[in-house]
Amino acid sequence: MDLARLVELGKIDKNTPHPPALIGQDGVLELTQLAIKKEIKAQIILNEGLMPGMHAIGEKLSRGEVFITDMLIAARAMNVALGQLKPFFLSGEIQAKGTIVLGTVKGDLHDIGKNLVKMIMEGDGWEVKDLGTDVSEEQFVEAVNNSTDAIVGISALLTTTMLHMGSAVQRLRENNPNTKIYIGGAPVSQSFCEEIGADGYFSNPHGLARELRKAPKLLI
Amino acid sequence: MDLARLVELGKIDKNTPHPPALIGQDGVLELTQLAIKKEIKAQIILNEGLMPGMHAIGEKLSRGEVFITDMLIAARAMNVALGQLKPFFLSGEIQAKGTIVLGTVKGDLHDIGKNLVKMIMEGDGWEVKDLGTDVSEEQFVEAVNNSTDAIVGISALLTTTMLHMGSAVQRLRENNPNTKIYIGGAPVSQSFCEEIGADGYFSNPHGLARELRKAPKLLI
Amino acid sequence: MTKYFGSLAIKHPDDLIFGYAPKPVSCGQGLTIGVGQVFPEINFTLPPMLINESNWNEVLSHYHNICENVLARAEKLRVPGIVMEFEHLPPMSMKPELGAEITSLIKNYLLEFYRRTGIPNALRVTVVDLRDADHPPLLRSGQRWEQTREAFILSAVAGADILSIESVGGKEVHDQALMYSDLSGIVASLGILACRDMGWLWDEIVDICKEYDVVPGGDTACGFSNTAMQMAGQGLLPATLSALVRAASAPRSLVAYEHGAIGPSKDCAYEGPIIKAITGVPISMEGKSSCCAHFSPLGNIAGAMADLWSNESVQNIKLLSGTAPEAFLELLAYDCRLFNIAENKNESRMYRDLLVRSDLEQSPEALMLEPQTVLRIARSIAQCPNPYTQTRNAIFTAFKSLQDAVDSNQLKLPSREQTWWSKIPGLLAQIPENENEAIEYLITTYHGVFNPQAYGL
Amino acid sequence: MTKYFGSLAIKHPDDLIFGYAPKPVSCGQGLTIGVGQVFPEINFTLPPMLINESNWNEVLSHYHNICENVLARAEKLRVPGIVMEFEHLPPMSMKPELGAEITSLIKNYLLEFYRRTGIPNALRVTVVDLRDADHPPLLRSGQRWEQTREAFILSAVAGADILSIESVGGKEVHDQALMYSDLSGIVASLGILACRDMGWLWDEIVDICKEYDVVPGGDTACGFSNTAMQMAGQGLLPATLSALVRAASAPRSLVAYEHGAIGPSKDCAYEGPIIKAITGVPISMEGKSSCCAHFSPLGNIAGAMADLWSNESVQNIKLLSGTAPEAFLELLAYDCRLFNIAENKNESRMYRDLLVRSDLEQSPEALMLEPQTVLRIARSIAQCPNPYTQTRNAIFTAFKSLQDAVDSNQLKLPSREQTWWSKIPGLLAQIPENENEAIEYLITTYHGVFNPQAYGL
Ligand code: B12
Ligand code: B12
C-alpha cells in the first residue's frame, strides 16, 4: 500500500489499531522513515507521497463520501509523517506552503467552524497560526506584521460581530496592502465579502483550500 | 349641524341622499354659500369650518374607526365647498397649503397606495400634482421646476424599482436642494430613507399629513 | 372556443380536499398534479436592486444561486416533487429575451435535477401584464400587448412548462369602485369588463400554449380581490367587503378555464377552491407559508384544498439559516409532508377540517374558503352561463353565507364593521339586474376611466 | 438541593403530547403554560450591525420596532397568549445594564399589551454564558462568571418573567470528542463535566430567581447536540452520531430541573420531550417555524410535544410582507391555531401522530423525538441517580432504538453512513462503565483541554 493511501486511511504506525483491516502492517511512520533512508528527496516524499493522501480524503469529504472524523484521523497520521520531515523543513530543503493567520472576530466566541478551517488547511500543508476567538483588529495586524507573507482567514458567526471583519480588513490593508484576506462563517456571504473588500468568501474550508491550490506561486 | 360635521359626514347638498339620516337637510354647499353671504372671511370658513371636518375623519381613519370610503365621501363634499371658495383662492385672499408633486417610480405600475396618498393629502388642503406611475427622474425634476415650492412624494412597491427613489432624490437635490422629499410604499423603510437621503418615510398617508401639519411655515 | 361548465366537477364537500383534483395535470419533468399528493411551489424574487444592462450578470447569478440552494434543499428533504415559479419582473417582460434567458437557466437546473435525483418537477413562468401601463389601457392592441404576447412566446420557447399571468382587464374601474365601496361598480367591472378581457386574452394564451406544447396554468384576481384583502388588512376597507369581492372575482378567473386553461391555478388566486369545485382542475394556494410575501387572514384554511403549496414570493436575501428561498422551501416541504402523511394515513379529511376550522371564525375572508360555502358559491355560478349574472349571483350568495355566519354567531364582526355591514343589503339591492343595465351604469358612472372599445363594447 | 426524578412524570405515550404538561407553569402577565394550549414564543435579534455606544439608540429603536410590530400582529391574529424571548447578544451580558435596559423596554410593551388586550404573556430573558471566553474556562469564578451572574440579576430586576441560559460547561472537551467521534469522550464530557457544571450553575440561578421572584426556565444542550446536528446537516458528521449525542445530552439538561428549574425549557433544547417525560415541566420547541434560524431534520416532529412553539431567532430585517419578526409571529400563530383547534376538537393525538410520522422515517434525529422512543430513553435515564450512568444508559438506549428502526427497515441509512454505523457497537463497548474510569479517561485523553478544578474534580 502506498504512502498516500496510508495517509488517507489514517494508519499511523505498525502498532496503531486503526484501521482494523491493517492491524500489524506498516504505517505512515515506517514508510516515511524508509523513504528518507532510501534518500528519496524530502520534497518528493511530501508532494508525491503524503499530500495526495490528504487531497484524496479532502475531496471525499467535500463530495460527502466521508466525515470530518476521517479527515482528522488522516491529518493525525500526516502530522506524524511531517514530524519525520521536520529536519528538511528546518534546513530549507522543503518549503511549507506558507502561513495562515486564523481567528474568530472580536466579540464572537463561536469557534467550531474556525477550528475546522484550521484542521483542513493544516492537512493541506499550511502552517496555521490560530489566534483563537474574540480576536481584535490589532491582534490580526500584529500577527501579520510578524509573518508578512501570511494569508489571513477570519470567521464570524454573529450578525452583530460580522461587521468587525470590515474594520479588520481595513486595518490589515493599511498595514500590509498585499495581504490576502479570506472570510467565512454562517452569516457571511459573497456580496458582504465584496462590500468589505476581502479577497474571497468560502462557505466551507475546502473552497479555501482549493482556491489556494490554484494560486501558482503558492504551490510547493 | 356645523360645517365641519357635515364635511365629515360627506353631506354634499340638500338633494344628495347621503347620509340617509340627513335627507332633505342643508349640506356643505348651502352652508358654505351662506357663510360667504354673511361675509365671513374665506380663510375662516376654510380653517374653522371645513378643515376640522377633514381632520376629524382623517383621525378616525387612522384610529381604524372608519374606512377609506368614508374619507373619500368626505373629500367629495369638501371639494364642493372648495369650488365655492375658488374666487378667494384666485384673488389670493386664501392661500392653499401648497403643492405636492406625487408619483410612482420608474418601472413600477402599482398605484393604489399612491392614489390614497393623493386623496388624503387633497383632503388635508393640499394641491396634488399626480404624475401617475412609471415616473422618471426627469419628470419629477421638471414638475418641481414648474412649481419650485412643491413638496415631493414618491411611491414604490417593487424591490427592483425602489432604488430609483435614490436617483430621483439625487436629481431633485441637484436641481433644487431645498425641496422636501417624502417616500412610501410597502418595501420602503426608515433606514432606506436615511440611506438615500430623503426627508422622511411614512408607512401611511396620515403620517405624512401629520408631519406636514407640524411644519409651522406650511400651515395656512 | 368557450366551454361552459354547467355543473360542478366536485359536488360533495368531502371531495373538495387537498391533493385531489378530478382533472389532474401532467407537466414538466414527470410531474402529475392532483392525484393524491401536494407539492411545494417555490417562488422567489430579487433583493432590492435595479435591473439594467450593467448588472445583468449579477441578476443572473441570483437566479443561479436560488436554483442551486433551493434544489439542494429539496433533495435533502426528499420532496416528492417540486414546482418552481419564475415570476417576471417588469423589465423581463418588457424585454422578453431577458425573461427567456432566466427561464432557460432555471429549466436547465430542473432538467439536471430530474436526471440526478429522479424527483418530478416543473417550471411555471408568470409574465407581467404590461397592458396596465396605459391609462386607460388599450388591452387588445398596441405595443404593451405586443410585448406581453412576445413574453409568453419566448418563455414557452425557452422551456416554461406552465404559463400564467396576473391579468388586469377591468381593474381600472374596479380600483375606483373598490375605494368607494361601490358594489354595482365592483360587480360590473368584474362580471363584464374583466370577464370579457379574460376571454379574449386566454384565447390568445391557449393558442400559444398549443403551438409550443406548454400547459396553460391560469390567471388570478390578485389585482382585484388581493388588493381588497390587503387594504382590509391595513384597516382601509371592511373585511366583509374584501370577502364579497373574493367571491365576485371567481367568475372572472373561471373564464381562463372556459377558454382552455387546465391548471394548476396561480398561488395567489384564493378564488382557487371555487374554480376547483366547478372545473376540477388542480390549484395552487398560499397561506401561512407566504408570510414572507404578505400577511393573511387565511394562513391555514388556504391549504385545505391545495394541490400545490406556495410561498408566493421571497427575496434572495440571507437569513441566519441560509438564503430565504431555501428557508421557505424547507417550510413548504414540511407542510407538504403533513398533507401527504395525512392522506397516506387516511386522515386527510380530518386534517383538512382542522385547517378549515382553525381560521374559520377569525375572519369573513376565511369563510369564503370553507368547503360548504365554496360549493354554495360555485353552484350559484355554475347555474347560468352569463358571466355578469354569475358575478352577481356569487356576491349575493357570499353575502348570504356571511349573514348566516353572523346570525348564528359563528362569525363576530368587530364593531367598526357594523355600520358598513348594515349598509350592504341596500347596496346589493342597487346592483343592476342584467348586463345591459350594468353596461349603462359603467358607461355613465365610470366615463373616461375605461376604454369601452378595449372590451369590444 | 438536588431532587432526583426516580420515575417518569408521563408514563404513557398517549399522554406525551403538545399543550399538556403535568406540572404547568404560571408566569408573567396571566400566562399559564401546559394546561391545554400551545402558545407562540417569538424570538428576534438585530440585523447585521455592531453594538456600541455610538449606535445604542439605533439598537434600542430596533427593539421598539420589534415589540410594536410583533404585538400588533399578535393582537390582529388574536393569539391566546404569547411569550417573547429576548436573547442577549454578548455585549448585553458583558455590560448587563445594556441587557437590562432592553429587558425593561420589552417588559413595558408587554405590560401595556396586557392592559389593552388582556392577552396573557411573558418575557423570557436568556443570558449569554460568558464563561466560554476563557480557554479552558474557569467556570466557577473569575470576571466572566461575575458578569454572567450580574446579567441574570439585572435581567430579573428589569422585569424578566423567565430566565434561561445556553450553558457551556463541558463543551471544551465535547467539541473535540465530537470531531473525533469519540463516544467515550462524548459521554464523559456530558455525563461528568457538563452535569457537574449544570448542578453548580443552576443552584446559583435558582437562588437568584427565588430572590427576585422569577421563573427559572431551563437550559439547553445547544452547544453539544445542536452543534452535532448542524455539522451532520452540513455532511461533516454522521446523522446517527448526532442522534446519539441528542439522547446523551438529556441527563445534562435534566440537571437544571433537579436543581429547581421548573420550565418552560429552552426552544432549541430538542432533548425537551425527554425532560418533559421525566419531570413533567412544559417545554418550548422549534421546528419548521425556525427555518429562518437554521435548517432542521425535525420540522414537524418537533411540534408533537411542544407547549411553546418558537422560531428560534430572526433578524429585524424587512421582507416583502413587513418585518421578519412579524412575519414569523404570524407563522407561529397559525401553527398554534392548528395545535389548539386539534385539542379543541379532540383530535390532538391524531394530529400529534401526523406530526411524528411525517418526519419519522426521514432521519435518525427524528426518531429520538418519537414518543415511544422518548419514553424508552427517559426510562433508562430515570432508572438511576448517577448522571454519568444516566448518560451512558441514554446513549445505549438510543442506539438500540436506532438499531430496531434500521433492522425493521423503518429507517434507511444513506450509504455514506453505513461504514460508521457498523463501527458504533465497537465504540459503545469502549465507553467506561463507571464514573471513576471515565474521569480517568478524561484526564488522560483530554489533558490540558479542560480545567479539572472548574468541575470540582
Ligand atoms: C453551536 C452554536 C453555539 C455554541 C458555540 C460553540 C462554539 N464553541 O463554537 C454556543 C452554545 C456556545 C453558542 C453561543 C451563542 N450563540 Co450560537 N450557535 C451555534 C449554532 C447552533 C451552530 C454553529 C456551529 O458550530 N456550526 C457548525 C460549524 C461547523 O459551522 P460554521 O460555524 O458555519 O462553519 C462552517 C462554515 O461557515 C465555514 N467557515 C466558518 N468560518 C470560516 C472562516 C473561513 C476563512 C472559511 C473559509 C470558512 C469558514 O466552515 C465551517 C465548516 O463548513 C449556530 C446556528 C447556525 N445557524 O449556525 C448558532 C448561532 C450562530 N448562535 C447564535 C447566538 C445568538 C448565540 C448566543 C448569543 C446565544 C446566547 N444568548 O447565549 C451565544 C453567543 C456566544 C458568543 N459570545 O459568541 C445565533 C446568532 C444570531 C445572530 N444574531 O447572529 C445562531 C445563528 C443561532 C440562531 N439561529 O439563533 N452558539
Ligand atoms: C395589488 C397588487 C398588484 C396589482 C397592482 C394594482 C395597482 N394598480 O396598483 C397588479 C396585479 C397589477 C400587480 C402587478 C404586479 N405585481 Co403586485 N402586488 C399587489 C399587492 C397584492 C398589493 C399592493 C397594494 O395595492 N396594496 C394596497 C395599498 C393600499 O398599500 P400600499 O401600496 O403599500 O400603500 C400604502 C402604504 O405603503 C403607503 N404609501 C404608498 N406609497 C406611498 C408614498 C408616500 C409618499 C407615502 C407617504 C405613503 C405611501 O400608503 C398606502 C396606504 O396605507 C402587493 C402585495 C404587497 N405585499 O404589497 C403585490 C406586490 C407589490 N406585487 C408584486 C409583483 C411581483 C408584481 C408583478 C411583477 C407581478 C407579475 N409578475 O405580473 C406585477 C408588476 C406590475 C408593475 N409593472 O409594477 C410583488 C413585488 C415583489 C418584488 N420583487 O418587489 C408583491 C410584493 C407581491 C408579492 N408578495 O410577491 N400587483
Short mmCIF file of all heavy atoms in Angstrom, two decimals, chain B residues 108-113 116-117 154-155 157-159 184-186 202-205, chain C residues 45 87-88 90 128 168 171 175 223 227 230 234 293 312-313, ligand 2:
data_model
loop_
_atom_site.label_atom_id
_atom_site.label_comp_id
_atom_site.label_asym_id
_atom_site.label_seq_id
_atom_site.Cartn_x
_atom_site.Cartn_y
_atom_site.Cartn_z
N ASP B 108 -42.51 51.00 -12.30
CA ASP B 108 -43.46 50.48 -11.32
C ASP B 108 -44.87 50.97 -11.64
O ASP B 108 -45.08 52.16 -11.80
CB ASP B 108 -43.03 50.95 -9.92
CG ASP B 108 -43.59 50.07 -8.82
OD1 ASP B 108 -44.71 49.55 -8.98
OD2 ASP B 108 -42.88 49.90 -7.81
N LEU B 109 -45.80 50.03 -11.72
CA LEU B 109 -47.17 50.41 -12.10
C LEU B 109 -48.15 50.33 -10.95
O LEU B 109 -49.34 50.53 -11.13
CB LEU B 109 -47.64 49.53 -13.25
CG LEU B 109 -46.76 49.55 -14.51
CD1 LEU B 109 -47.28 48.60 -15.55
CD2 LEU B 109 -46.67 50.96 -15.07
N HIS B 110 -47.67 49.98 -9.78
CA HIS B 110 -48.58 49.92 -8.63
C HIS B 110 -49.00 51.33 -8.27
O HIS B 110 -48.14 52.19 -8.04
CB HIS B 110 -47.88 49.29 -7.43
CG HIS B 110 -47.57 47.84 -7.61
ND1 HIS B 110 -46.46 47.39 -8.25
CD2 HIS B 110 -48.25 46.72 -7.22
CE1 HIS B 110 -46.45 46.07 -8.26
NE2 HIS B 110 -47.53 45.63 -7.64
N ASP B 111 -50.30 51.59 -8.21
CA ASP B 111 -50.67 52.98 -7.92
C ASP B 111 -51.74 53.13 -6.87
O ASP B 111 -52.15 54.25 -6.56
CB ASP B 111 -51.06 53.70 -9.20
CG ASP B 111 -52.28 53.11 -9.87
OD1 ASP B 111 -52.84 52.12 -9.36
OD2 ASP B 111 -52.69 53.65 -10.91
N ILE B 112 -52.22 52.05 -6.30
CA ILE B 112 -53.32 52.21 -5.35
C ILE B 112 -52.86 52.97 -4.11
O ILE B 112 -53.54 53.89 -3.65
CB ILE B 112 -53.88 50.83 -4.97
CG1 ILE B 112 -54.46 50.21 -6.24
CG2 ILE B 112 -54.93 50.95 -3.89
CD1 ILE B 112 -54.97 48.82 -6.05
N GLY B 113 -51.69 52.61 -3.60
CA GLY B 113 -51.14 53.31 -2.44
C GLY B 113 -50.95 54.79 -2.74
O GLY B 113 -51.37 55.66 -1.98
N LEU B 116 -54.12 56.73 -2.83
CA LEU B 116 -54.63 57.04 -1.49
C LEU B 116 -53.92 58.26 -0.91
O LEU B 116 -54.55 59.12 -0.30
CB LEU B 116 -54.44 55.85 -0.56
CG LEU B 116 -55.36 54.67 -0.83
CD1 LEU B 116 -55.03 53.53 0.12
CD2 LEU B 116 -56.80 55.11 -0.64
N VAL B 117 -52.61 58.30 -1.12
CA VAL B 117 -51.86 59.46 -0.64
C VAL B 117 -52.46 60.72 -1.26
O VAL B 117 -52.72 61.72 -0.57
CB VAL B 117 -50.37 59.34 -1.02
CG1 VAL B 117 -49.62 60.60 -0.60
CG2 VAL B 117 -49.74 58.11 -0.37
N ILE B 154 -42.96 60.24 -3.25
CA ILE B 154 -42.65 59.17 -4.20
C ILE B 154 -43.08 57.82 -3.61
O ILE B 154 -42.84 57.54 -2.44
CB ILE B 154 -41.15 59.11 -4.54
CG1 ILE B 154 -40.58 60.52 -4.77
CG2 ILE B 154 -40.90 58.24 -5.75
CD1 ILE B 154 -39.11 60.55 -5.14
N SER B 155 -43.67 57.02 -4.46
CA SER B 155 -44.13 55.70 -4.04
C SER B 155 -43.42 54.62 -4.85
O SER B 155 -43.10 54.84 -6.03
CB SER B 155 -45.65 55.62 -4.27
OG SER B 155 -46.16 54.36 -3.89
N LEU B 157 -43.47 50.05 -5.06
CA LEU B 157 -43.95 48.79 -4.49
C LEU B 157 -43.06 47.61 -4.81
O LEU B 157 -43.26 46.51 -4.32
CB LEU B 157 -45.38 48.50 -4.99
CG LEU B 157 -46.54 48.92 -4.09
CD1 LEU B 157 -46.72 47.94 -2.93
CD2 LEU B 157 -46.39 50.32 -3.58
N LEU B 158 -42.07 47.80 -5.69
CA LEU B 158 -41.22 46.68 -6.09
C LEU B 158 -39.81 46.90 -5.54
O LEU B 158 -39.29 48.02 -5.58
CB LEU B 158 -41.16 46.56 -7.61
CG LEU B 158 -42.48 46.21 -8.33
CD1 LEU B 158 -42.33 46.40 -9.84
CD2 LEU B 158 -42.89 44.78 -8.03
N THR B 159 -39.19 45.81 -5.08
CA THR B 159 -37.82 45.93 -4.59
C THR B 159 -36.87 46.25 -5.74
O THR B 159 -35.77 46.72 -5.52
CB THR B 159 -37.35 44.63 -3.93
OG1 THR B 159 -37.55 43.55 -4.83
CG2 THR B 159 -38.13 44.37 -2.66
N GLY B 184 -42.69 56.47 0.37
CA GLY B 184 -43.52 55.45 0.99
C GLY B 184 -43.73 54.28 0.05
O GLY B 184 -43.22 54.28 -1.08
N GLY B 185 -44.45 53.28 0.53
CA GLY B 185 -44.66 52.07 -0.25
C GLY B 185 -44.19 50.86 0.54
O GLY B 185 -43.27 50.97 1.36
N ALA B 186 -44.78 49.70 0.28
CA ALA B 186 -44.54 48.53 1.12
C ALA B 186 -43.06 48.15 1.32
O ALA B 186 -42.66 47.85 2.44
CB ALA B 186 -45.34 47.34 0.61
N PHE B 202 -42.98 57.43 5.47
CA PHE B 202 -44.20 57.18 6.23
C PHE B 202 -44.87 55.93 5.72
O PHE B 202 -44.96 55.71 4.51
CB PHE B 202 -45.15 58.38 6.15
CG PHE B 202 -44.55 59.59 6.77
CD1 PHE B 202 -43.94 60.56 5.97
CD2 PHE B 202 -44.52 59.74 8.14
CE1 PHE B 202 -43.31 61.66 6.54
CE2 PHE B 202 -43.90 60.83 8.73
CZ PHE B 202 -43.30 61.79 7.93
N SER B 203 -45.32 55.12 6.66
CA SER B 203 -45.92 53.86 6.25
C SER B 203 -47.36 54.07 5.80
O SER B 203 -47.97 53.17 5.27
CB SER B 203 -45.85 52.85 7.39
OG SER B 203 -46.69 53.29 8.43
N ASN B 204 -47.89 55.26 6.03
CA ASN B 204 -49.23 55.56 5.51
C ASN B 204 -49.38 57.06 5.33
O ASN B 204 -48.63 57.85 5.91
CB ASN B 204 -50.31 54.97 6.41
CG ASN B 204 -50.20 55.52 7.81
OD1 ASN B 204 -50.30 56.74 8.02
ND2 ASN B 204 -49.97 54.64 8.78
N PRO B 205 -50.37 57.47 4.54
CA PRO B 205 -50.52 58.89 4.21
C PRO B 205 -50.76 59.79 5.42
O PRO B 205 -50.33 60.93 5.43
CB PRO B 205 -51.73 58.91 3.28
CG PRO B 205 -51.88 57.52 2.78
CD PRO B 205 -51.33 56.63 3.81
N THR C 45 -37.70 36.05 -5.70
CA THR C 45 -37.50 37.27 -6.48
C THR C 45 -36.18 37.90 -6.07
O THR C 45 -35.49 37.40 -5.18
CB THR C 45 -38.70 38.23 -6.32
OG1 THR C 45 -38.59 39.31 -7.26
CG2 THR C 45 -38.76 38.83 -4.92
N GLU C 87 -41.51 34.28 -11.62
CA GLU C 87 -42.42 35.37 -11.91
C GLU C 87 -41.60 36.52 -12.46
O GLU C 87 -40.69 37.02 -11.79
CB GLU C 87 -43.15 35.76 -10.61
CG GLU C 87 -44.42 36.52 -10.86
CD GLU C 87 -45.30 36.71 -9.61
OE1 GLU C 87 -45.83 35.71 -9.10
OE2 GLU C 87 -45.44 37.86 -9.17
N HIS C 88 -41.90 36.92 -13.67
CA HIS C 88 -41.18 38.03 -14.29
C HIS C 88 -41.27 39.28 -13.45
O HIS C 88 -42.30 39.54 -12.83
CB HIS C 88 -41.81 38.37 -15.64
CG HIS C 88 -41.37 37.49 -16.76
ND1 HIS C 88 -41.48 37.85 -18.07
CD2 HIS C 88 -40.81 36.26 -16.77
CE1 HIS C 88 -41.02 36.87 -18.83
NE2 HIS C 88 -40.62 35.89 -18.06
N PRO C 90 -41.01 43.48 -14.18
CA PRO C 90 -41.39 44.19 -15.41
C PRO C 90 -40.33 44.21 -16.53
O PRO C 90 -40.69 43.91 -17.68
CB PRO C 90 -41.77 45.59 -14.91
CG PRO C 90 -42.30 45.34 -13.53
CD PRO C 90 -41.47 44.22 -12.98
N VAL C 128 -45.56 39.40 -16.86
CA VAL C 128 -46.22 40.62 -16.37
C VAL C 128 -47.23 41.10 -17.41
O VAL C 128 -46.94 41.12 -18.60
CB VAL C 128 -45.20 41.75 -16.12
CG1 VAL C 128 -45.91 43.03 -15.66
CG2 VAL C 128 -44.17 41.34 -15.08
N VAL C 168 -55.05 42.18 -15.89
CA VAL C 168 -55.56 43.39 -15.26
C VAL C 168 -56.80 44.00 -15.93
O VAL C 168 -57.25 45.07 -15.51
CB VAL C 168 -54.47 44.48 -15.22
CG1 VAL C 168 -53.30 44.03 -14.35
CG2 VAL C 168 -53.99 44.81 -16.64
N LYS C 171 -59.53 46.30 -14.21
CA LYS C 171 -59.02 46.79 -12.93
C LYS C 171 -59.10 48.31 -12.80
O LYS C 171 -59.30 48.84 -11.69
CB LYS C 171 -57.57 46.33 -12.76
CG LYS C 171 -57.06 46.36 -11.33
CD LYS C 171 -55.64 45.86 -11.25
CE LYS C 171 -54.70 46.75 -12.02
NZ LYS C 171 -54.72 48.14 -11.55
N ASP C 175 -60.63 49.36 -9.33
CA ASP C 175 -59.86 50.11 -8.32
C ASP C 175 -60.71 51.22 -7.70
O ASP C 175 -60.74 51.38 -6.47
CB ASP C 175 -58.63 50.76 -8.97
CG ASP C 175 -57.46 49.80 -9.09
OD1 ASP C 175 -57.57 48.65 -8.60
OD2 ASP C 175 -56.44 50.18 -9.70
N GLY C 223 -55.10 41.53 -8.61
CA GLY C 223 -55.27 42.98 -8.66
C GLY C 223 -56.65 43.41 -8.16
O GLY C 223 -56.88 44.58 -7.90
N THR C 227 -55.95 42.97 -3.67
CA THR C 227 -55.85 44.38 -3.31
C THR C 227 -56.86 44.68 -2.22
O THR C 227 -56.54 45.33 -1.22
CB THR C 227 -56.13 45.25 -4.55
OG1 THR C 227 -55.20 44.92 -5.56
CG2 THR C 227 -56.01 46.72 -4.21
N GLN C 230 -55.60 43.11 1.01
CA GLN C 230 -54.50 43.92 1.54
C GLN C 230 -55.03 45.17 2.23
O GLN C 230 -54.59 45.55 3.31
CB GLN C 230 -53.60 44.39 0.39
CG GLN C 230 -52.52 43.44 -0.01
CD GLN C 230 -51.36 43.53 0.95
OE1 GLN C 230 -51.06 44.59 1.47
NE2 GLN C 230 -50.75 42.39 1.22
N GLN C 234 -54.98 46.40 6.13
CA GLN C 234 -54.46 47.68 6.63
C GLN C 234 -55.54 48.50 7.33
O GLN C 234 -55.29 49.62 7.75
CB GLN C 234 -53.87 48.51 5.48
CG GLN C 234 -52.58 47.97 4.88
CD GLN C 234 -52.05 48.85 3.73
OE1 GLN C 234 -52.26 50.06 3.70
NE2 GLN C 234 -51.37 48.23 2.78
N ALA C 293 -44.27 37.17 2.09
CA ALA C 293 -44.73 37.99 0.96
C ALA C 293 -45.87 38.92 1.34
O ALA C 293 -46.01 40.01 0.80
CB ALA C 293 -45.16 37.10 -0.20
N GLU C 312 -45.69 32.28 -2.30
CA GLU C 312 -45.90 33.48 -3.12
C GLU C 312 -44.64 34.16 -3.64
O GLU C 312 -44.49 34.33 -4.82
CB GLU C 312 -46.76 34.54 -2.43
CG GLU C 312 -46.66 35.88 -3.17
CD GLU C 312 -47.92 36.69 -3.29
OE1 GLU C 312 -48.80 36.57 -2.44
OE2 GLU C 312 -48.03 37.45 -4.27
N SER C 313 -43.74 34.58 -2.77
CA SER C 313 -42.55 35.27 -3.23
C SER C 313 -41.65 35.57 -2.06
O SER C 313 -42.12 35.92 -0.98
CB SER C 313 -42.94 36.60 -3.89
OG SER C 313 -41.82 37.17 -4.52
C1 B12 E 2 -52.39 44.72 -5.92
C2 B12 E 2 -51.04 44.29 -6.36
C3 B12 E 2 -50.77 44.30 -7.72
C4 B12 E 2 -51.71 44.84 -8.74
C5 B12 E 2 -51.45 46.36 -8.85
C6 B12 E 2 -52.69 47.19 -8.91
C7 B12 E 2 -52.34 48.64 -8.96
N1 B12 E 2 -52.90 49.36 -9.88
O1 B12 E 2 -51.58 49.16 -8.15
C8 B12 E 2 -51.25 44.06 -10.02
C9 B12 E 2 -51.97 42.74 -10.12
C10 B12 E 2 -51.43 44.82 -11.31
C11 B12 E 2 -49.82 43.80 -9.66
C12 B12 E 2 -48.83 43.58 -10.61
C13 B12 E 2 -47.55 43.21 -10.30
N2 B12 E 2 -47.09 42.96 -9.05
CO1 B12 E 2 -48.01 43.40 -7.44
N3 B12 E 2 -48.87 43.48 -5.78
C14 B12 E 2 -50.08 43.87 -5.43
C15 B12 E 2 -50.27 43.68 -3.91
C16 B12 E 2 -51.05 42.39 -3.69
C17 B12 E 2 -50.98 44.80 -3.13
C18 B12 E 2 -50.46 46.21 -3.38
C19 B12 E 2 -51.50 47.20 -2.93
O2 B12 E 2 -52.16 47.80 -3.73
N4 B12 E 2 -51.70 47.33 -1.60
C20 B12 E 2 -52.68 48.18 -1.01
C21 B12 E 2 -52.09 49.61 -0.85
C22 B12 E 2 -53.12 50.49 -0.19
O3 B12 E 2 -50.96 49.53 0.01
P1 B12 E 2 -49.52 50.16 -0.40
O4 B12 E 2 -49.34 50.18 -1.84
O5 B12 E 2 -48.48 49.56 0.45
O6 B12 E 2 -49.67 51.71 0.05
C23 B12 E 2 -49.85 52.09 1.39
C24 B12 E 2 -48.55 52.50 2.05
O7 B12 E 2 -47.43 51.78 1.58
C25 B12 E 2 -48.44 53.97 1.85
N5 B12 E 2 -47.75 54.52 0.68
C26 B12 E 2 -47.59 54.01 -0.54
N6 B12 E 2 -46.91 54.87 -1.32
C27 B12 E 2 -46.63 55.96 -0.59
C28 B12 E 2 -45.95 57.15 -0.88
C29 B12 E 2 -45.78 58.11 0.12
C30 B12 E 2 -45.08 59.38 -0.20
C31 B12 E 2 -46.33 57.88 1.43
C32 B12 E 2 -46.16 58.90 2.48
C33 B12 E 2 -47.00 56.68 1.70
C34 B12 E 2 -47.16 55.75 0.70
O8 B12 E 2 -49.76 54.39 1.84
C35 B12 E 2 -50.67 53.35 1.39
C36 B12 E 2 -51.87 53.29 2.30
O9 B12 E 2 -51.53 52.96 3.63
C37 B12 E 2 -48.77 43.58 -3.44
C38 B12 E 2 -48.57 42.81 -2.14
C39 B12 E 2 -47.94 43.64 -1.04
N7 B12 E 2 -47.37 42.94 -0.08
O10 B12 E 2 -47.93 44.86 -1.05
C40 B12 E 2 -48.12 42.93 -4.68
C41 B12 E 2 -46.62 43.10 -4.97
C42 B12 E 2 -46.15 44.50 -4.66
N8 B12 E 2 -46.54 42.86 -6.41
C43 B12 E 2 -45.51 42.14 -6.77
C44 B12 E 2 -45.20 41.76 -8.09
C45 B12 E 2 -44.02 40.83 -8.28
C46 B12 E 2 -45.94 42.23 -9.17
C47 B12 E 2 -45.69 41.89 -10.64
C48 B12 E 2 -44.25 41.99 -11.10
C49 B12 E 2 -46.33 40.50 -10.84
C50 B12 E 2 -46.25 39.95 -12.25
N9 B12 E 2 -45.33 39.08 -12.49
O11 B12 E 2 -47.04 40.34 -13.04
C51 B12 E 2 -46.53 42.95 -11.35
C52 B12 E 2 -45.72 44.23 -11.64
C53 B12 E 2 -46.51 45.36 -12.17
C54 B12 E 2 -45.67 46.56 -12.40
N10 B12 E 2 -45.15 46.74 -13.59
O12 B12 E 2 -45.42 47.32 -11.49
C55 B12 E 2 -44.68 41.75 -5.58
C56 B12 E 2 -43.38 42.56 -5.51
C57 B12 E 2 -42.17 41.67 -5.33
C58 B12 E 2 -40.92 42.44 -5.51
N11 B12 E 2 -39.92 41.87 -6.13
O13 B12 E 2 -40.79 43.54 -5.08
C59 B12 E 2 -45.67 41.97 -4.39
C60 B12 E 2 -44.98 42.35 -3.06
C61 B12 E 2 -46.46 40.66 -4.24
C62 B12 E 2 -45.63 39.57 -3.68
N12 B12 E 2 -45.70 39.34 -2.40
O14 B12 E 2 -44.94 38.90 -4.41
N13 B12 E 2 -49.62 43.83 -8.33
#
